[in-house]
Amino acid sequence: QVQLVESGGGLVQPGGSLRLSCAASGSIFVRYGMGWYRQAPGKQRELVARITGGGSTNYADSVKGRFTISRDNAKNTIYLQMNSLQPEDTAVYYCNAAALPTYWGQGTQVTVSS
């Protein structure tokens, strides 16, 4: 059974940090490339960060220098370290597999507010 399970979201004050996790199972293997996306209320889902099979990473301009994507192939899990969080980072965060782009997990809510 294919699964992507996101976790680690929560409520944080501006300037704070969170670390999101995405555990993959079934036929999804994070070593083939994964991405983190987010969707804020009333907005379209957008790419936040991506890591390729070769380990290259790229980021949305809005999060460059603040967010870091990484993965643990042995745990079949990817992470998103988010620092210097701002209210505009508030969204539901999802992970997605390059090999199965139509499948989405349930997401994890990140709320940045004082």
Side-chain angles (χ1 to χ4, degrees):
Q1 181 180 357
V2 173
Q3 269 197 316
L4 292 171
V5 180
E6 300 95 340
S7 62
L11 173 63
V12 63
Q13 292 186 341
S17 298
L18 284 174
R19 188 193 194 208
L20 306 183
S21 299
C22 168
S25 60
S27 60
I28 297 178
F29 298 96
V30 301
R31 65 179 181 266
Y32 294 128
M34 299 287 293
W36 280 101
Y37 293 74
R38 67 186 180 188
Q39 187 165 19
K43 295 187 177 181
Q44 288 191 331
R45 192 169 298 183
E46 63 175 354
L47 175 67
V48 175
R50 179 188 290 132
I51 183 165
T52 69
S56 300
T57 58
N58 56 23
Y59 299 89
D61 288 343
S62 59
V63 306
K64 279 181 182 176
R66 301 188 298 123
F67 291 11
T68 303
I69 187 171
S70 62
R71 69 183 175 204
D72 185 331
N73 290 339
K75 294 182 178 180
N76 210 25
T77 299
I78 63 167
Y79 305 94
L80 186 68
Q81 177 66 44
M82 306 187 295
N83 299 326
S84 302
L85 283 160
Q86 301 301 318
E88 52 266 33
D89 296 315
T90 295
V92 179
Y93 284 71
Y94 302 88
C95 60
N96 183 263
L100 195 63
T102 58
Y103 182 83
W104 297 92
Q106 84 289 347
T108 185
Q109 175 71 49
V110 172
T111 303
V112 185
S113 175
S114 55

